[in-house]
Amino acid sequence: MSGMVRRGLSYLAAVGAVFAVAAALGLAAWALRIDRVETYLLIFVLLAGGIAWRLGRGPAVAATVAFALVSDYFFLQPRFGFGGWTSSDAVRLLTGVLAAAAVIQFVHVSRGRQILLEKRKEIDYQHFRLYRWDESAERLVLVKSVARAAPYASVDWYTVTLGLGEGITGVAAKTRRSLLVPDASQDPRMVYPAGTTPIEESVLSVPMVTQDRLFGVLTLARIGAASLRVEDLPVMESIAAQTALALANAEQYAEAEQTIKALTTIEALQSTDGVVPATEIEGRILQGFLDLSQADLATLRVLRGDGRYHLAASGGRFRPSDGAPADEPLTAAQVAWLADPKVPADIVDPRSDQKLPEWARRVRELAGVSASVYLPMRAGQRFVGFVGLDWRRPRWFRPEQLGRLQLLAAQAAIALDTRQALERERSRVEALAELEHERREFMQIASHELRTPLTVIRGYASLLEDGSLGSMPPMAQQALHTLMDKSSEMRVQVERMLLLARLEDGAAAPRMTKLDLRKVVNGALDRVDPQLRLRKGRLAVKLADAPLMVMGDSEQLASALDNLLQNAVKFSPGPPEIEVVGDRQDGRVRVVVRDHGVGIAREARSRLFEKFYRVSNPQLQNAAGTGIGLYLVRQVVEGLGGRVEVESQPGQGSAFEIELPVAQD
Ligand code: ADP
């Protein structure tokens, strides 16, 4: 009622002002003895502007109408009556009216802004709450609460999150329209944090929406019923719109910043090589998560060799008290919960989430946590561990934020997995080296132990053979030949094993002397002679007349030649026909052992000198061997700066050539 009266009064005042000014102008004209004051139109336009500023647009329009009538009656043609204008009078009046209209509109707009600004300063809230809309959790989360009165300050508002339609804030978010509740204590929709007694207050909630996207809700409250009014709404709405815009900008900035942070951490993880100790990688991972998430507490659990998830690192502003379980193993069900491949990240409210395992709930409770994210770390199919991030206050996450955390988790998993693989590999290599060492030691001892009795056996056999121990029947002699032959073979094998052990151990350096290779060749020929005779073979030897001096270990060279000659006999199906040549060519000493045996296929030739390599040849089923002979030949010859080569025609025979540098005087 009073509003209408006030409006009526302002119209009256406006029209009254016009008449007062008109009377003043008429009086002035009379006093000055002129027809009229020429600038009356300008004065009226200014008056309309003033009225619009003080009283509003309606009274100003009324004043304009009044002034048009007054002008017509008193001023156009001062004759005190309406109508009968000249066209120039009509144009003057119209111009005046239009000018007044323009001024009124301008004043109206500026005034509106001014009022808004003043009111904004004036809105006297006692509790301000800014809620953000968490798209993935579909909940409103309080991000800022400013309390200016005791009843608000004593409540922890952050503990409440709201779904759409929940609470006055939730209703405003759902309808996307502002909502004013004069007395929240009487409104069943109002949600207070648990244990709070309702406050007699006015609550105003305004949704923040930009481009159809719900950003959140601004909620204001003031103690006392009806203490906030409908008039406060436009101001709040404009604040909400601007806040939403500012938040959108800030979000974009934060987005860029966070991406850079994530990339920096990932880079730091990638540069980790085997040298970085395990704890440091884990520390880096944890720090990366803390930087990126701003979590109050972060824990990294890693699957170790014992199949349990150990606490590898934990940190943050806020550590759980000492009572919190630290290195507890997880049960299979707990791991399954975390490792569920369908869940890229688990966001939970630890106080209400039923799927949270007991152990996790306990940790959260001890630490007073109200928002957690679990990020499983998978390297391919392998579940490496997980990161738990906790916040004391409810938090909301944008999908991009979660995406970045997941990316980091994936990188961390790879870094951890790589390090574990490296560690496994290292211990495997160590075990292998140990095994290899034992094998060599055994070979050396075994061959050494065989050598001595063998020498004794061969000594007695040759005494028997040359008749020193009396004559023998022909049958026994034949058996003795075989005995000698086999013991020769055995000797070569034993020597080989000894040589191999020595070469590989690197412990015993070769005893280098200057020697005539012809002597070594002759010695080897003597040793192969029994076998050759047994097989009824033939031998053609062509050695240079001059000494063939080389630097080398005579035992090793002898063993190499033994191997070549033995092979020549062994791989000749019929009676062996062997040629041995020893000469000097272009400053190098050369020994060739040629046979007319089975020969070697082209494909096999390139691998012949590899350790344990043997050609599979059905023709030679009974040819025993270990595949280390030629390997030793090459090791010995190349060790002396020489080389060994093979030429062969399958079915026709092979020729092995050794070349060594001539020893200088
Ligand atoms: P092993 O004689 O103990 O088998 P080697 O290293 O001495 O080991 O020889 C490797 C393989 O090379 C032999 O298994 C054989 O097939 C082939 N080989 C070596 N010498 C000859 C040869 N003179 N004629 C044909 N094949 C040969």
Side-chain angles (χ1 to χ4, degrees), residues 530-603:
Q531 281 161 280
L532 210 55
R533 268 195 286 154
L534 191 75
R535 299 273 307 274
K536 303 196 168 49
R538 271 192 301 155
L539 185 68
V541 183
K542 230 163 67 190
L543 290 178
D545 297 330
L548 300 173
M549 301 308 286
V550 294
M551 282 301 286
D553 181 321
S554 62
E555 255 186 60
Q556 290 188 2
L557 279 169
S559 180
L561 283 162
D562 282 346
N563 276 305
L564 292 183
L565 287 168
Q566 276 229 333
N567 281 347
V569 176
K570 204 160 68 174
F571 298 110
S572 297
E577 276 178 42
I578 300 171
E579 290 139 42
V580 177
V581 177
D583 55 18
R584 246 177 100 145
Q585 261 186 4
D586 308 327
R588 290 177 82 84
V589 172
R590 188 180 69 126
V591 175
V592 181
V593 178
R594 186 185 309 276
D595 65 58
H596 298 273
V598 292
I600 304 156
R602 173 179 292 275
E603 321 81 75

Side-chain angles (χ1 to χ4, degrees), residues 621-633:
Q621 261 173 353
N622 52 353
T626 51
I628 57 170
L630 289 179
Y631 168 77
L632 283 176
V633 172

Side-chain angles (χ1 to χ4, degrees), residues 334-397:
Q334 289 163 353
V335 173
W337 171 72
L338 285 162
D340 183 354
K342 290 194 294 296
V343 186
D346 243 302
I347 309 162
V348 291
D349 180 350
R351 288 152 308 146
S352 59
D353 207 308
Q354 283 314 306
K355 69 173 187 280
L356 196 69
E358 173 55 30
W359 60 272
R361 208 196 312 269
R362 202 138 43 90
V363 175
R364 312 297 146 210
E365 264 163 25
L366 277 168
V369 163
S370 58
S372 302
V373 170
Y374 291 92
L375 295 151
M377 296 191 292
R378 286 188 202 90
Q381 293 298 308
R382 239 196 322 282
F383 187 69
V384 181
F386 63 92
V387 174
L389 300 174
D390 306 298
W391 290 264
R392 275 196 292 176
R393 290 177 169 172
R395 267 213 56 152
W396 57 284
F397 301 92

Side-chain angles (χ1 to χ4, degrees), residues 357-467:
E358 173 55 30
W359 60 272
R361 208 196 312 269
R362 202 138 43 90
V363 175
R364 312 297 146 210
E365 264 163 25
L366 277 168
V369 163
S370 58
S372 302
V373 170
Y374 291 92
L375 295 151
M377 296 191 292
R378 286 188 202 90
Q381 293 298 308
R382 239 196 322 282
F383 187 69
V384 181
F386 63 92
V387 174
L389 300 174
D390 306 298
W391 290 264
R392 275 196 292 176
R393 290 177 169 172
R395 267 213 56 152
W396 57 284
F397 301 92
R398 270 170 293 121
E400 304 86 56
Q401 280 177 310
L402 278 179
R404 268 191 300 270
L405 289 172
Q406 280 157 18
L407 183 71
L408 192 57
Q411 288 292 336
I414 292 170
L416 284 172
D417 195 49
T418 310
R419 200 211 58 223
Q420 283 169 2
L422 257 162
E423 269 169 13
R424 276 196 300 273
E425 194 56 28
R426 197 174 297 151
S427 53
R428 218 171 60 92
V429 166
E430 276 165 13
L432 272 179
E434 175 67 14
L435 214 68
E436 176 68 7
H437 177 73
E438 281 167 9
R439 184 188 67 82
R440 278 185 205 158
E441 215 167 49
F442 171 77
M443 280 256 291
Q444 196 156 8
I445 293 168
S447 44
H448 210 86
E449 293 300 312
L450 287 173
R451 203 191 208 180
T452 323
L454 196 60
T455 315
V456 177
I457 292 170
R458 282 170 60 79
Y460 279 112
S462 67
L463 283 179
L464 283 171
E465 209 177 20
D466 64 18

